[in-house]
Amino acid sequence: MTKRLFLCAGLAAAMLFTSCNAINDGVSDIGSGVSDVTSDLSSGMSDVESDLSSDLSDGRSDMSSDMSRDESRYDNSSDISREESSKDAPASSVDISSLDNTKQGWGQGVQLDEKNRPLASLSFQEKYGKYDAWFIGEEEPVIYLTFDCGYENGYTPMILDTLLEKDVPAVFFCVSDYVERQPELVQRMIDEGHAIGNHSDTHPCMPEQSVERCEQEIMNLHNKMQEDFGYTMTLFRAPAGEFSERTLAQTQQLGYKSVFWSYAYADWDPNNQIGTDKALEKVTKALHPGAIYLLHAVSPDNAAILGDFIDYARDQGYTFALFQ
């Protein structure tokens, strides 16, 4: 504010006036948005770089591309400081079309608490648990094994053999293509007490789909499993770990829990395995209470070390349970 005082001589009183200049040409930009903690959560895992397109119709190679989208999210957690919304209303009573559909990616990151639990998993669990979304289990020495199945690479029978021998249950998240191509393996999973999870019909990015299409992606496979196997699915894993508040609420309204993970690594590419020694070291070092492990059934390393991992975890006082 610029003040100028002019005194006019010869007048009986002084006249005071103020002229104002513009303080600024405009308001400076105070921020380009909420800062993303992704870089902090992803700094330690440089091996997850692929983000390929998804196409299940051609079988193995195309589904491998789909799976790479999942792993590209392992170390790229979305902004965990964003304000919570619709906190007091249950999803069943919410108009999902009114909810935020901003796409978020998921990865457990590398920042851990004193119990070796990923901080991102804890933050997201607190924020999105109201939608029956799970990024980590309860604080108990329990491990939940989950496997994503996009195509069959010959290792699932070996995995099932090990789980049967060790008396450990698991969730197998399948897409429609896998269910259609591998009905014998799907039936074996059911017969041996495992859960079949819904990984969508065609593996798209859910937040990029309409509300109607999201329902189709879940219910097409849901209905197929009921018709072909008499099995009712209740667990959903979002393709590539991509979600929004809207898709979480819609998944819950359709009668599903959204199951993410608190540990995963880039095991999806059979041509880029790290060897059984390194693989075993990775998965054992990640042990933490309530751990939800995501592994891929196409990995020869993880198929080979599964029994040793189960034995090691049990020696450390952990038990294995079926996520349900």
Side-chain angles (χ1 to χ4, degrees), residues 78 80 104 106 120-129 135 243:
S78 302
I80 63 176
Q104 301 192 63
W106 170 243
S121 292
L122 297 172
S123 297
F124 274 59
Q125 188 60 50
E126 181 178 1
K127 183 174 183 179
Y128 296 112
F135 299 84
F243 70 96

Side-chain angles (χ1 to χ4, degrees), residues 204-215:
C205 172
M206 296 296 277
E208 294 179 357
Q209 313 307 309
S210 67
V211 170
E212 293 74 20
R213 183 60 195 170
C214 283
E215 181 173 350

Side-chain angles (χ1 to χ4, degrees), residues 20 24 33 70 79 90 93 102 112 119 132 135 137 149 155-156 179 205 209 211 217 219 240 270 283 289 313 316:
C20 300
N24 291 300
D70 288 5
D79 182 4
S93 63
T102 303
L112 309 172
L119 295 181
D132 235 346
F135 299 84
C149 298
Y155 300 107
T156 305
V179 170
C205 172
Q209 313 307 309
V211 170
E217 282 293 330
M219 296 309 296
V283 296
Q316 303 306 307

Side-chain angles (χ1 to χ4, degrees), residues 205-268:
C205 172
M206 296 296 277
E208 294 179 357
Q209 313 307 309
S210 67
V211 170
E212 293 74 20
R213 183 60 195 170
C214 283
E215 181 173 350
Q216 292 171 1
E217 282 293 330
I218 294 174
M219 296 309 296
N220 284 355
L221 180 53
H222 181 93
N223 294 334
K224 181 188 299 291
M225 286 296 299
Q226 285 189 323
E227 293 168 5
D228 295 351
F229 298 91
Y231 184 91
T232 301
M233 290 173 146
T234 60
L235 306 175
F236 180 74
R237 174 161 286 158
E242 294 172 330
F243 70 96
S244 69
E245 186 179 19
R246 190 199 79 184
T247 63
L248 292 181
Q250 184 176 15
T251 300
Q252 186 183 34
Q253 287 186 2
L254 292 173
Y256 277 80
K257 295 179 180 179
S258 292
V259 184
F260 292 85
W261 58 88
S262 61
Y263 179 74
Y265 79 100
D267 66 338
W268 56 268

Side-chain angles (χ1 to χ4, degrees), residues 42-238:
S42 63
S43 59
M45 301 181 68
S46 60
D47 58 347
V48 186
E49 298 174 347
S50 299
D51 189 4
L52 307 177
S53 62
S54 60
D55 181 2
L56 299 173
S57 62
D58 291 335
R60 180 184 182 281
S61 62
D62 286 345
M63 197 58 217
S64 178
S65 297
D66 282 337
M67 291 302 101
S68 73
R69 295 179 61 219
D70 288 5
E71 274 55 59
S72 71
R73 303 296 177 184
Y74 286 165
D75 305 310
N76 291 280
S77 294
S78 302
D79 182 4
I80 63 176
S81 64
R82 187 176 300 170
E83 276 190 5
E84 297 184 22
S85 58
S86 304
K87 194 166 186 178
D88 298 325
S92 59
S93 63
V94 171
D95 175 9
I96 58 175
S97 63
S98 68
L99 296 178
D100 182 13
N101 193 42
T102 303
K103 181 174 71 175
Q104 301 192 63
W106 170 243
Q108 77 271 356
V110 297
Q111 293 184 332
L112 309 172
D113 72 358
E114 68 281 358
K115 297 180 181 179
N116 211 37
R117 298 177 300 175
L119 295 181
S121 292
L122 297 172
S123 297
F124 274 59
Q125 188 60 50
E126 181 178 1
K127 183 174 183 179
Y128 296 112
K130 62 186 176 183
Y131 295 120
D132 235 346
W134 293 87
F135 299 84
I136 192 169
E138 301 291 343
E139 189 178 339
E140 299 175 351
V142 178
I143 297 171
Y144 305 96
L145 288 181
T146 72
F147 295 85
D148 279 6
C149 298
Y151 65 91
E152 182 51 44
N153 200 31
Y155 300 107
T156 305
M158 179 180 177
I159 291 170
L160 289 170
D161 289 344
T162 301
L163 295 175
L164 182 62
E165 176 190 350
K166 301 295 182 181
D167 193 23
V168 170
V171 182
F172 290 85
F173 286 96
C174 302
V175 295
S176 288
D177 185 72
Y178 189 91
V179 170
E180 292 171 356
R181 292 171 184 258
Q182 305 296 333
E184 296 86 1
L185 284 175
V186 172
Q187 188 62 59
R188 181 182 172 185
M189 294 169 188
I190 297 171
D191 292 344
E192 295 182 0
H194 304 295
I196 309 299
N198 191 327
H199 200 32
S200 80
D201 186 15
T202 64
H203 205 268
C205 172
M206 296 296 277
E208 294 179 357
Q209 313 307 309
S210 67
V211 170
E212 293 74 20
R213 183 60 195 170
C214 283
E215 181 173 350
Q216 292 171 1
E217 282 293 330
I218 294 174
M219 296 309 296
N220 284 355
L221 180 53
H222 181 93
N223 294 334
K224 181 188 299 291
M225 286 296 299
Q226 285 189 323
E227 293 168 5
D228 295 351
F229 298 91
Y231 184 91
T232 301
M233 290 173 146
T234 60
L235 306 175
F236 180 74
R237 174 161 286 158

